[in-house]
Amino acid sequence: MIKVLGIETSCDETAAAVVTDARDILSNEVLSQLDEHRPYGGVVPEVAARAHLDAIGSIISNAMDKSDTSYADLDAVAATGGPGLIGGVLVGVMTAKAIASVHKIPFIAVNHLEGHALTVRLTGDDQGNTIDFPYLLLLVSGGHCQLLIVEGPGQYKRLGTTIDDALGEAFDKSAKMMGLGYPGGPALEKFAKSGDPDRFDLPRPLRKRPGCDFSFSGLKTKVRQQIENFPPGPVTDQDKSDLSASFQKAAGDVLVDRCSNAIAMFRARHPAGNTLVVAGGVAANLELRRRLTELAGQHNLRLIAPPVHLCTDNAAMIAWAGIERLKLGQTDPMDFRPRPRWPLDPDAPRATGAGIKA
Ligand code: KG4
Ligand code: ZN
């Protein structure tokens, strides 16, 4: 059996997990830095890096203890090597390299996006069965919004991406403008539950256009204008709920439209392909999942999503991507340079090229 320690530090979660190739998550420790960033209403990179440094030692010890694993039992250590906030990525990569060299085990630099992309292969379908390649993937997080055909580890065909904001960013910024609390995405979903999705007329950028690209900045701007147009005086909770529900419906309409085009492209390349996967932090949104499940059904596809707690950043997904890489014999050298940017496509160099020396 293969056992890998995974480490995730690319944004505002310090996380460590031990996972096996039998798809068992032996431990999964996640420490969120919500309290550190709440006063600023968003993630402050320098604050995040320091918090990772403070927490990483105890998070890894906890993950090892809870999994009842000793370092000698590990087959490799995998850490997020990018993309992400570079101070945090450096903390994770340096720690993983130190563990790898002391315990003489391979080090694997995992692309954070590959972690999200392969999570469903760890968690499986409703019956626990493995998800095979290929599948169509909608990757929606705080920093990314992409449609990809996933044909294997490292084998991605990108069909479209956002030309401005990521969807999670649009959720977070809209929530902040409405004063819904921090973090914004989950707060907006909660307000939307008791709102009228048809009260506000918000744009659906790029809808009915060809291709699979996204755009969300116009939607975000319209939310701001709507708030400015409210009559003077305090905005009621009902107003906030209605605007949240209208935003979520517009975002859902855009996702459904873009995914429809992507399904046609996926089917042209893989006529027998039957799986649409949604992953990344925004995939935790149950209303968006419902819309995508409906769309998948209309096209004779099934929708697969990781459990909600494995949609947002975690280290189990990094350990799992490490296992998939290790099985292919793909490990990384000790001079791997953490990458603030790291596109998820097969032509991107893995171990060389731009990066920060760790
Ligand atoms: O994948 P993730 O944890 O970090 C990145 O890699 O970016 O995604 C975080 C993003 C944030 O923008 C957050 O607001 C959003 O996912 N998010 C949600 C929900 N839960 C998290 N957006 C909408 N509805 C949710 N329930
Ligand atoms: Zn993420």
Side-chain angles (χ1 to χ4, degrees), residues 135-137 139 146-150 156-159 344:
Y135 48 83
L136 177 63
L137 170 70
L139 177 48
Q146 304 183 355
L147 274 158
L148 303 135
I149 297 175
V150 183
Y156 301 93
K157 185 173 164 39
R158 197 168 82 179
L159 304 179
L344 193 54

Side-chain angles (χ1 to χ4, degrees), residues 333-353:
M334 283 297 167
D335 62 354
F336 170 88
R337 294 179 166 211
R339 300 174 185 171
R341 291 178 189 278
W342 188 356
L344 193 54
D345 72 57
D347 301 326
R350 268 181 64 71
T352 55

Side-chain angles (χ1 to χ4, degrees), residues 152-193:
Q155 293 176 40
Y156 301 93
K157 185 173 164 39
R158 197 168 82 179
L159 304 179
T161 187
T162 179
I163 57 173
D164 43 54
D165 295 345
L167 182 53
E169 192 182 346
F171 263 90
D172 292 338
K173 289 185 177 161
S174 299
K176 191 173 175 182
M177 290 186 283
M178 286 186 255
L180 303 186
Y182 181 81
L188 194 149
E189 181 179 17
K190 212 164 140 205
F191 269 86
K193 282 202 179 93

Side-chain angles (χ1 to χ4, degrees), residues 38 52 55 79 122 132 143 146 192 221 230 239 248 251 259 294 312:
R38 184 171 284 113
H52 285 305
L122 166 64
D132 292 324
Q146 304 183 355
T221 303
F230 277 133
D239 290 332
Q248 203 167 256
C259 285
E294 206 174 77
T312 45

Side-chain angles (χ1 to χ4, degrees), residues 10-13 112-113 116 140-144 167-172 183-189 248 280-286 288 311-314 317:
S10 67
C11 191
D12 59 343
E13 268 91 24
H112 180 84
L113 303 176
H116 282 302
V140 269
S141 70
H144 299 270
L167 182 53
E169 192 182 346
F171 263 90
D172 292 338
L188 194 149
E189 181 179 17
Q248 203 167 256
V282 183
N285 186 294
L286 297 182
L288 294 181
C311 285
T312 45
D313 288 348
N314 64 86
M317 69 180 193

